[in-house]
Amino acid sequence: MRNVKEISLNPNQPADQAQSWLGSQADHLAAELETNGIVVLPAILGTEQLRGMQSAFASRLRRMRWNNFEGFQKTEHYRHMVEDVLLLDQGFVDLAVHPLVKQILARYLGAKYELTEAKGWKSLPTKYDFHGWHGDTWYDQSTQQTIHREIKLAMYLTDVRSGAFKFIKGSHRQRHPHNLKKAEVRDLHSSDVIELSGNAGTVFLFDTSAIHRQSIPILEPRQAIFYAYHDPDVPIQAEDIAYYRYHPLLLNAAFLGDLAAEDRRILGFGNKTNFQPAFERGDQAPLIYEVFQAADSARLRIKKLHERITMKLRRTFRLT
Ligand SMILES: O=C(O)CCC(=O)C(=O)O
């Protein structure tokens, strides 16, 4: 596997030289992606950019999202999910449409791909095996014969020494993606396993049809983001339509100042293919949600009452 430090981007090169250098790096990295199903990129973000992304992401991890408090979503025990990270900081957008990333993706996915999901999460320390070996299911396997291409870009926001991303080299595009059964896991060859520990800022691309997982035990919290790129015209599997997983990206106008036409396409500007008008989730909100809502309404009423009584007392006794 490529050592991250082997290649570095040089901002002082003349534009045409830089372009051809970029092209040859992209050829090289795309070939590695094609062979192994995974490739680590050179350091493509500056320290300041990384810091901005880390602190914006951390701000969403302080509490669970509720009412007018932004925060993480919690739908499982071991991960705090931060959806729609492109809203948070310029660095998340710059990473999504970084020239080297785009060139590799164009080689691997063709000319029609878009960024279809941009989220991240904090994995909590545990020894429990909460999410085993799998390939990512996303397209409708009941109608699609083709193993469709999807690439995830992953980036660590914390230094990762345990709970690293784990991947079976060369396992991409062999079968339709699925969760592996025990017998399939027993047949995996340990010599093909790549475990990707690395510092905050480590960026890698992998084909999501390949067998992968987060390794356990997770000894310290890990923060990472994962972007999914695929052709938006490929029919999505039913459960992701029901959840509206691949909703058009939520973007922040402040970060969209310098986009080229290609970037706007990649970010899905004007593409309504997977937009669901007046979308509402089909499942019922849990009872605890109703209880919190009632408790918060009571809190607001008591606050208002308290203000009115205080005002009245002030007027009666002419207090200031
Ligand atoms: O969190 C990890 O390292 C694994 C990520 C993963 O399995 C996925 O994105 O499908």
Side-chain angles (χ1 to χ4, degrees):
M1 167 135 295
R2 171 169 300 278
N3 178 338
V4 185
K5 295 202 175 67
E6 259 176 50
I7 47 179
S8 63
L9 294 170
N10 179 0
N12 301 322
Q13 267 176 333
D16 52 342
Q17 260 183 41
Q19 202 53 37
S20 84
W21 175 86
L22 198 65
S24 74
Q25 291 305 320
D27 284 342
H28 207 65
L29 295 164
E32 190 170 329
L33 181 60
E34 199 71 58
T35 307
N36 293 336
I38 186 165
V39 66
V40 178
L41 302 193
I44 55 176
L45 290 177
T47 317
E48 278 311 302
Q49 229 169 355
L50 174 61
R51 218 169 277 150
M53 294 163 81
Q54 287 170 317
S55 69
F57 195 79
S59 74
R60 288 288 164 103
L61 288 171
R62 290 205 181 98
R63 62 176 73 81
M64 193 157 80
R65 187 172 82 158
W66 194 72
N67 198 7
N68 58 345
F69 286 95
E70 288 298 349
F72 60 84
Q73 294 185 24
K74 189 163 180 173
T75 53
E76 54 175 282
H77 203 67
Y78 298 102
R79 293 191 296 185
H80 293 173
M81 309 298 297
V82 180
E83 298 287 334
D84 306 308
V85 296
L86 302 183
L87 293 169
L88 301 183
D89 188 79
Q90 182 73 57
F92 292 106
V93 178
D94 293 350
L95 176 63
V97 293
H98 187 281
L100 185 60
V101 171
K102 286 189 292 189
Q103 293 225 11
I104 299 169
L105 292 177
R107 283 159 177 73
Y108 197 83
L109 296 174
K112 279 185 64 198
Y113 74 87
E114 287 182 12
L115 175 61
T116 55
E117 180 178 59
K119 68 180 182 188
W121 55 84
K122 174 163 106 172
S123 307
L124 305 181
T126 183
K127 291 184 179 135
Y128 181 66
D129 189 356
F130 64 95
H131 193 201
W133 289 106
H134 64 281
D136 290 352
T137 60
W138 62 277
Y139 56 86
D140 183 4
Q141 294 187 16
S142 67
T143 59
Q144 303 298 300
Q145 315 303 318
T146 312
I147 302 174
H148 286 289
R149 288 185 178 231
E150 182 185 67
I151 290 290
K152 269 187 179 166
L153 174 152
M155 175 174 157
Y156 293 149
L157 291 168
T158 49
D159 294 341
V160 176
R161 303 283 164 251
S162 69
F165 181 79
K166 235 170 157 177
F167 185 93
I168 305 292
K169 193 161 127 184
S171 63
H172 56 305
R173 308 193 47 70
Q174 306 291 313
R175 293 187 54 189
H176 284 297
H178 62 287
N179 290 327
L180 266 67
K181 302 204 170 60
K182 278 196 183 126
E184 291 176 285
V185 173
R186 271 198 299 273
D187 289 344
L188 297 176
H189 296 291
S190 57
S191 58
D192 295 332
V193 175
I194 291 172
E195 189 162 340
L196 221 97
S197 43
N199 290 336
T202 300
V203 178
F204 52 97
L205 301 174
F206 64 96
D207 183 320
T208 66
S209 68
I211 298 165
H212 62 276
R213 61 166 299 155
Q214 180 172 14
S215 61
I216 45 165
I218 305 169
L219 300 176
E220 56 282 305
R222 189 203 75 179
Q223 295 175 31
I225 53 165
F226 289 83
Y227 293 172
Y229 299 86
H230 60 240
D231 178 347
D233 288 335
V234 173
I236 298 296
Q237 64 182 354
E239 67 191 81
D240 289 337
I241 294 174
Y243 202 77
Y244 205 6
R245 177 168 178 181
Y246 298 107
H247 56 75
L249 297 176
L250 302 190
L251 297 166
N252 185 331
F255 307 145
L256 306 177
D258 290 327
L259 296 179
E262 186 192 27
D263 301 340
R264 292 197 288 272
R265 176 190 62 76
I266 293 168
L267 296 177
F269 278 37
N271 187 352
K272 295 200 177 77
T273 306
N274 290 310
F275 170 63
Q276 299 186 41
F279 174 79
E280 268 187 81
R281 289 241 312 269
D283 51 346
Q284 195 75 32
L287 181 63
I288 190 86
Y289 187 92
E290 308 295 334
V291 172
F292 275 133
Q293 207 166 312
D296 202 53
S297 293
R299 178 187 69 84
L300 289 173
R301 276 171 201 274
I302 291 166
K303 186 168 168 246
K304 194 82 205 152
L305 188 66
H306 181 261
E307 280 167 12
R308 283 169 56 192
I309 292 171
T310 312
M311 194 77 85
K312 203 156 197 172
L313 286 174
R314 280 210 180 113
R315 268 199 231 113
T316 308
F317 298 104
R318 297 190 196 290
L319 299 173
T320 50

